[in-house]
Amino acid sequence: MSKELRVTQLFDCADVGKNFFREARRQGRPWKMVEGPWTRGGSKIAYYGFLLDMAAAYPRTQLWHVNMGGRAKWARGRFARPYALTLHGTDIRENYWQEQHHAAIKADVDGAGHVWYATPDNREKAEQARADAEYMPIPVDISELPPWAPAAKPRVFFPSRWDASKGGDAWVQTAADVVAALKGMDVDVVGLDWGDRAPEVAAMGVQLLPHMSKPDYLREMSRAHVAVGQIAGILATSELEAMGMGIPTIIADQDPGYPSDVATVSVARASVGEAVRESLADPAALSRELASVDYIRRTHSPEVLLPRLISGYEKVLGANA
């Protein structure tokens, strides 16, 4: 059944839906992708365009895969089909437990034929919401990444936005620690002009890049000698993309749910500044030692993950047969 399985990825989150959709199409599977109105500009015209795409996909869709809790009403409404759900982070980490969001996300979780969660830190909460929830690693398509091309001048890159979801006070303090550890060295410390804490890190000396397209962002990151991951203990899409390029990536207080061979420089939060300084001594050698490209290809490639995804879909459709 799997080759003919007609799935529509409904919405996207950090390219997870897109990467699974693209891999399925590469394999000749008749899958579709429908983006939400918010990614089309959020206007009334965007909303009607979204509805038209839903209507067009509906007749040939056996199953919706909804990306992000709080959005599955579209899979249960006028275009109702069996659906699977991926919980991506804030939806299960925070929103599910908040009174104003709980009912909507619980309805999504309860109505799903199968539920995945995207990062291992959410295992306990996801399983409280749905006992059979499974971990599905975030897919990263290495073929979509630019080659690692470190700049002439040493460059440290913070790939995540500056807000509470990425570590809040600890994230800002980490930026301060990195800047302090590199004092006296001629190093560019670069981050994104994104998040309510961005002005604070800019005042410390972190160079902030303006909003840009995803390809431009990846090219900027590819010029880094070292990447510093968010202070939330997890590898989100940005960190995984850095690893997929071979950039030595430093993670603080990494969640124990990751395998022992995860290809990062894993340290305590207070040691991040020192780890950055040490990593800049020979980033190329460190990259070879970590072998993060091989790790991403082995554990996060859409091609490797797709059979697990399809197995979940087949369970959903089998239960609804």
Side-chain angles (χ1 to χ4, degrees), residues 3-202:
K3 193 71 174 179
E4 292 74 33
L5 191 62
R6 297 188 302 277
V7 176
T8 296
Q9 294 289 324
L10 189 53
F11 315 124
D12 190 38
C13 185
D15 287 344
V16 170
K18 285 180 183 176
N19 280 332
F20 281 135
F21 164 71
R22 289 168 181 162
E23 178 59 32
R25 294 304 290 262
R26 275 196 287 266
Q27 295 184 15
R29 301 177 186 275
W31 291 18
K32 296 182 181 296
M33 175 97 204
V34 175
E35 295 274 15
W38 48 87
T39 62
R40 307 168 187 229
S43 66
K44 185 177 288 188
I45 291 174
Y47 174 72
Y48 287 124
F50 158 69
L51 288 181
L52 285 172
D53 286 350
M54 285 282 291
Y58 175 69
R60 288 189 53 77
T61 295
Q62 292 174 281
L63 178 142
W64 304 110
H65 184 158
V66 181
N67 285 285
M68 185 66 76
R71 299 175 176 175
K73 65 179 183 180
W74 301 105
R76 297 194 303 272
R78 71 180 75 175
F79 304 116
R81 290 280 191 247
Y83 69 93
L85 172 68
T86 293
L87 299 167
H88 282 267
T90 304
D91 48 3
I92 188 61
R93 190 180 298 120
E94 299 175 18
N95 294 350
Y96 184 88
W97 313 98
Q98 297 170 347
E99 184 177 355
Q100 65 270 37
H101 301 300
H102 177 73
I105 299 180
K106 186 177 189 304
D108 288 3
V109 170
D110 291 350
H114 195 70
V115 174
W116 290 283
Y117 55 94
T119 54
D121 63 307
N122 282 319
R123 175 181 177 178
E124 183 177 351
K125 288 185 174 180
E127 290 181 349
Q128 285 181 43
R130 177 77 178 242
D132 62 347
E134 291 185 70
Y135 171 49
M136 175 64 73
I138 295 169
V140 175
D141 188 348
I142 289 179
S143 70
E144 297 286 326
L145 302 177
W148 185 32
K153 183 179 178 180
R155 190 182 217 223
V156 176
F157 195 87
F158 290 86
S160 288
R161 64 185 181 272
W162 305 99
D163 64 21
S165 69
K166 303 302 181 183
D169 291 344
W171 189 212
V172 172
Q173 182 58 52
T174 298
D177 292 348
V178 169
V179 171
L182 299 179
K183 188 175 182 179
M185 298 175 63
D186 188 18
V187 178
D188 287 332
V189 182
V190 182
L192 305 175
D193 191 4
W194 186 14
D196 61 334
R197 308 296 295 271
E200 295 173 63
V201 297

Side-chain angles (χ1 to χ4, degrees), residues 303-316:
E303 183 178 7
V304 167
L305 296 174
L306 204 64
R308 290 169 55 182
L309 196 73
I310 290 170
S311 177
Y313 295 161
E314 291 178 336
K315 289 178 185 177
V316 174

Side-chain angles (χ1 to χ4, degrees), residues 197-208:
R197 308 296 295 271
E200 295 173 63
V201 297
M204 298 170 188
V206 178
Q207 303 171 30
L208 297 184

Side-chain angles (χ1 to χ4, degrees), residues 19 140-146 240 243-245 292-298 300-302:
N19 280 332
V140 175
D141 188 348
I142 289 179
S143 70
E144 297 286 326
L145 302 177
L240 294 168
M243 294 168 65
M245 285 186 259
S292 63
V293 177
D294 290 340
Y295 175 83
I296 295 297
R297 186 177 289 115
R298 191 170 65 247
H300 286 270
S301 75

